[in-house]
Amino acid sequence: MRHVYISSFLLLSALLMAGESFSHDDSPVLEGPYLGQNPPGLEPEVFAPGIVSIASWGDAGRFSPDMDEFHVLRWGRENNQRVTESVTFKRMDNRWHEVAVPGRDGVPFFSPDGKTLHFGKRYKERTKDGWSEMKSLGSPYEEIRIMSLTASENGTYVFDEVGTGGDGIIRYSRLVDGKREEPKPFGKEINTGTWNAHPFIAPDESYIMWDGDRENGYGSSDLYISFRKPDGSWGEAINLGDKVNTDAEEGGPQITPDGKYLFFNRVVTRKSGATDSDLYWVDARIIEGLRPRQ
């Protein structure tokens, strides 16, 4: 498959407006929201099969706050080595164009205001010319093996840690009077079981989602959610149920910026040892059905 490599989305925009198209010759025309896909209901469906979710590759993806960009990270193995590929789908004049992004190993998390791209312990800030160079969050974040960091509208960070044998924990750090608090671990409501990772905090901090392995789960990692109580504490973890979780490995939950859909990954290991990993989406109302009555 032929890819066009560019170093800047600004260059892409300029070329597209000049009449150049970077869609593959044999690629389907993608128009409308959500890469032209028909939205799912309350049963999860593979997102954009053959376009985003590609056989023999693992896939993770995330929309930008304006829903006009969809960033994808693909991973696989070649010659027993892990290889990755980063791709961005960008909507121009209601049509989506695919562009490879060399040198980017990860899917950025956009701050809710769209001004910051978080890559774990590193980040980029929006400038008048595009994005800044990669910056570091500094200490103590540099000393923590962060896989995924998300942020709320109030600037609260929620992030995980690569542990040893599944003992990593999920932490948070609030922004209080313009100053960043030292990271603190969540309580047992969230940090129970093993392999707790890939958190997502709602923009208004009304809930947190993550994946983890617990005795009462469906097998391997499941998706969980904790809702914030009126007193500011966090409620007991709720398993998202058998419509989402299976005996496979579910992970990486996130809600689209418009609040309509839940995206997550499902990894299935075959008897041969091979794995299939697809990106799924489902109507976000499935979450509202789990919210406890106050």
Side-chain angles (χ1 to χ4, degrees):
M1 182 179 289
R2 177 175 61 87
H3 290 295
V4 178
Y5 292 88
I6 64 172
S7 60
S8 167
F9 289 140
L10 293 178
L11 175 59
L12 169 64
S13 301
L15 291 172
L16 288 175
M17 288 186 287
E20 292 286 340
S21 173
F22 292 98
S23 297
H24 305 313
D25 295 337
D26 57 350
S27 296
V29 175
L30 305 177
E31 296 181 320
Y34 313 110
L35 276 71
Q37 305 302 297
N38 292 323
L42 296 178
E43 294 286 342
E45 298 179 13
V46 176
F47 180 68
I51 300 170
V52 172
S53 298
I54 297 178
S56 77
W57 286 85
D59 304 277
R62 184 173 289 124
F63 279 101
S64 61
D66 60 10
M67 303 287 289
D68 284 338
E69 295 175 5
F70 189 72
H71 298 270
V72 179
L73 174 68
R74 297 183 176 130
W75 64 90
R77 300 194 71 83
E78 293 181 1
N79 300 320
N80 294 321
Q81 298 291 323
R82 187 178 190 272
V83 293
T84 61
E85 177 185 61
S86 292
V87 173
T88 289
F89 291 86
K90 187 173 180 67
R91 183 164 63 167
M92 299 290 294
D93 297 327
N94 205 40
R95 182 173 178 180
W96 294 89
H97 302 262
E98 178 183 346
V99 181
V101 186
R104 189 186 73 196
D105 187 9
V107 181
F109 177 85
F110 286 81
S111 61
D113 62 9
K115 295 181 180 180
T116 307
L117 290 177
H118 290 284
F119 296 84
K121 64 185 68 177
R122 292 175 171 79
Y123 67 99
K124 292 185 177 183
E125 294 180 309
R126 188 179 293 279
T127 69
K128 64 178 181 180
D129 298 319
W131 294 99
S132 69
E133 295 296 318
M134 193 73 78
K135 301 179 181 181
S136 171
L137 290 177
S139 184
Y141 303 94
E142 281 293 341
E143 288 76 55
I144 302 173
R145 298 171 64 196
I146 298 172
M147 291 186 293
S148 179
L149 181 148
T150 65
S152 72
E153 292 174 343
N154 290 333
T156 297
Y157 292 161
V158 175
F159 56 95
D160 57 13
E161 176 186 16
V162 179
T164 302
D167 65 351
I169 60 176
I170 296 178
R171 295 183 174 92
Y172 68 96
S173 172
R174 299 182 302 169
L175 193 62
V176 180
D177 296 329
K179 295 183 179 180
R180 176 69 54 187
E181 287 185 326
E182 286 291 313
K184 302 175 183 178
F186 283 98
K188 61 180 179 59
E189 296 82 6
I190 293 171
N191 286 313
T192 291
T194 57
W195 304 109
N196 294 304
H198 309 116
F200 172 86
I201 185 169
D204 63 359
E205 302 188 17
S206 59
Y207 61 83
I208 292 174
M209 304 177 69
W210 72 98
D211 52 80
D213 192 345
R214 298 189 178 205
E215 291 183 359
N216 63 350
Y218 291 87
S220 193
S221 291
D222 287 349
L223 303 189
Y224 290 88
I225 188 168
S226 172
F227 293 96
R228 189 184 286 278
K229 297 180 179 180
D231 64 3
S233 64
W234 292 100
E236 292 293 330
I238 300 172
N239 188 296
L240 263 61
D242 59 6
K243 280 187 169 60
V244 169
N245 293 314
T246 66
D247 59 0
E249 179 182 333
E250 281 81 27
Q254 58 181 292
I255 300 296
T256 52
D258 59 9
K260 293 182 177 181
Y261 299 99
L262 162 65
F263 275 72
F264 66 95
N265 295 94
R266 178 177 292 159
V267 180
V268 179
T269 302
R270 306 298 180 186
K271 291 182 179 179
S272 63
T275 60
D276 294 329
S277 177
D278 289 315
L279 182 64
Y280 281 77
W281 61 329
V282 64
D283 195 308
R285 287 178 296 178
I286 197 170
I287 293 175
E288 291 307 310
L290 300 172
R291 190 185 294 272
R293 293 182 179 179
Q294 303 294 349

